[in-house]
Amino acid sequence: MKKERIYFNTHKPLSFEFQQNKYDFIVEEIPLYKFLNKGNFFIMKIKKVYLSTWELIEIIGKKLNIDENQIGYAGLKDKNATTTQYISIPLNKSREFEILNDKNIKVLETFKHDKKLKIGDLAGNKFVIKLKNIKDEELHLIYRSISHLQKHGMANYFGYQRFGKDADFNYAKKIVYGEETINDRKLKNFLVSAYQSYFFNSWLINRVEISKQADSKKLIALEGDIFQDKERKIITGLMPGRKVPRAKGQAGELEAKYDDPFIHDKGFRRDAWVYPKDIQNRYNSKENTMQISFTLPKSSYATVFIENIANKNLGY
């Protein structure tokens, strides 16, 4: 089922190096709204290093004696990075929040709010990444790719982190079809979501191929597409499941190849195209490195941004 993600660049794959670590991959969450500073929930802006969101939640639960179901978060953040995100806990559990601070966790700010954070309560993420060992002869291609992304946007693939080491397509399919059972609820949800994401990525690869054949620099619309906005600028793709509209006509015929009616989890439609904003870069000629900062809307991947520049897949 796995297929190589493809991009609109025509240059050869570039050879620069990129590693996810606390120095070269920095992420900061952008809240969806301003916190009220009143209410029964306590919001913490937390900077963490080499910790996944799930690991952070487990630590908070143990140290503050909170059931993990009472801990709210807006989005999942990469483990191999320096990441800043917002976490909510009940106000009556916040008295000893400072005990969370250690070498890997620092509470930067706190707020009161009237409701628990939930998935999706973020506008996007700010990224600062570093490319290393850039060859002189490839530098102009990097600049050209950045310019293309700034002007035309990018295909909104799920990045390789979405699938992880545990997301085997055939095993996930058996879970969906009831041929295998799993007691770990988090792992089950992860596998089902990854199964949906395989379909979306495969569909998007096909749409990029069609658009490139039409000599377009971005995704072209087909008859029957479903759009995210009234201006019909953002095409959406199917995350298969129940209670989700399907495309019609020509777009529907293609979409049907990447659907599975046996998925009983709720489906939705995902933006197939996103526009990176606030792109800035600084090249260090002595070290042959480039630092790039940019902002992406929620549910899009910085590693996909980098893959666009490199014109190759960084992971599976």
Side-chain angles (χ1 to χ4, degrees):
M1 185 69 185
K2 289 182 181 179
K3 295 177 67 177
E4 292 284 311
R5 295 174 292 280
I6 63 172
Y7 299 100
F8 283 84
N9 281 320
T10 56
H11 61 67
K12 66 177 182 179
L14 304 185
S15 59
F16 63 74
E17 294 178 8
F18 166 73
Q19 294 180 336
Q20 283 191 247
N21 58 51
K22 67 178 182 179
Y23 305 107
D24 302 330
F25 195 61
I26 301 171
V27 189
E28 182 173 351
E29 198 169 77
I30 304 170
L32 184 62
Y33 42 70
K34 186 175 181 179
F35 300 117
L36 301 173
N37 260 334
K38 62 180 180 180
N40 293 321
F41 291 89
F42 190 72
I43 309 292
M44 297 179 288
K45 181 180 181 181
I46 296 178
K47 183 177 182 179
K48 59 185 178 62
V49 177
Y50 292 142
L51 284 173
S52 69
T53 301
W54 291 121
E55 289 169 332
L56 175 64
I57 288 172
E58 184 177 357
I59 291 169
I60 293 171
K62 288 180 178 178
K63 285 192 173 183
L64 299 183
N65 191 28
I66 306 173
D67 188 298
E68 289 184 17
N69 291 327
Q70 293 183 292
I71 301 172
Y73 61 96
L76 298 174
K77 296 291 174 284
D78 294 273
K79 177 174 182 174
N80 296 317
T82 296
T83 61
T84 301
Q85 70 179 115
Y86 294 84
I87 299 290
S88 71
I89 60 174
L91 184 62
N92 61 6
K93 295 286 188 177
S94 66
R95 186 174 302 172
E96 298 181 339
F97 78 90
E98 290 180 340
I99 67 173
L100 295 173
N101 290 319
D102 61 23
K103 65 177 182 178
N104 293 321
I105 299 173
K106 185 171 180 59
V107 180
L108 302 177
E109 293 182 80
T110 62
F111 314 86
K112 292 179 183 178
H113 198 52
D114 65 343
K115 58 185 176 182
K116 174 184 175 182
L117 286 176
K118 64 181 186 299
I119 284 287
D121 282 348
L122 71 160
N125 294 285
K126 299 176 183 177
F127 297 91
V128 179
I129 60 97
K130 182 178 281 188
L131 310 181
K132 296 180 177 180
N133 294 326
I134 297 171
K135 292 182 178 179
D136 291 341
E137 64 270 23
E138 294 183 350
L139 183 60
H140 75 286
L141 296 174
I142 294 175
Y143 283 127
R144 190 173 76 183
S145 295
I146 291 173
S147 177
H148 185 278
L149 288 164
Q150 198 155 20
K151 183 177 181 180
H152 301 290
M154 69 183 198
N156 193 26
Y157 292 114
F158 285 98
Y160 59 84
Q161 313 96 305
R162 181 67 189 84
F163 305 102
K165 296 179 180 179
D166 298 320
D168 176 81
F169 176 81
N170 290 321
Y171 179 62
K173 184 176 181 179
K174 289 180 180 179
I175 297 295
V176 169
Y177 280 62
E179 297 172 4
E180 295 278 356
T181 57
I182 186 169
N183 294 323
D184 188 323
R185 182 177 59 84
K186 287 182 181 177
L187 180 56
K188 180 182 178 180
N189 290 340
F190 167 74
L191 288 170
V192 172
S193 295
Y195 184 68
Q196 293 171 309
S197 303
Y198 280 122
F199 285 111
F200 176 88
N201 267 17
S202 299
W203 167 84
L204 186 51
I205 289 168
N206 197 335
R207 290 296 296 261
V208 170
E209 289 172 335
I210 291 171
S211 301
K212 290 180 71 173
Q213 290 169 6
D215 202 27
S216 174
K217 297 183 182 299
K218 58 192 297 184
L219 216 61
I220 62 170
L222 299 178
E223 182 267 322
D225 266 324
I226 297 176
F227 295 84
Q228 183 261 5
D229 51 350
K230 293 180 180 179
E231 293 77 20
R232 296 173 65 84
K233 290 182 179 178
I234 306 296
I235 300 166
T236 64
L238 178 68
M239 292 287 287
R242 58 183 175 83
K243 294 185 178 179
V244 57
R246 265 69 174 179
K248 307 292 184 183
Q250 184 184 9
E253 290 178 11
L254 189 148
E255 184 175 276
K257 299 176 182 179
Y258 306 99
D259 196 354
D260 188 338
F262 284 95
I263 300 176
H264 299 300
D265 290 65
K266 188 176 181 180
F268 62 95
R269 299 201 68 87
R270 171 181 168 87
D271 291 357
W273 200 258
V274 293
Y275 289 90
K277 295 182 178 180
D278 307 318
I279 304 176
Q280 298 181 10
N281 61 82
R282 187 170 70 247
Y283 178 62
N284 186 323
S285 57
K286 292 182 179 179
E287 298 179 358
N288 290 326
T289 63
M290 181 181 288
Q291 180 174 287
I292 308 176
S293 61
F294 54 96
T295 299
L296 290 175
K298 63 183 178 182
S299 301
S300 49
Y301 289 76
T303 50
V304 171
F305 177 95
I306 300 165
E307 287 184 346
N308 270 276
I309 297 173
N311 200 25
K312 66 180 181 183
N313 285 197
L314 297 177
Y316 297 106

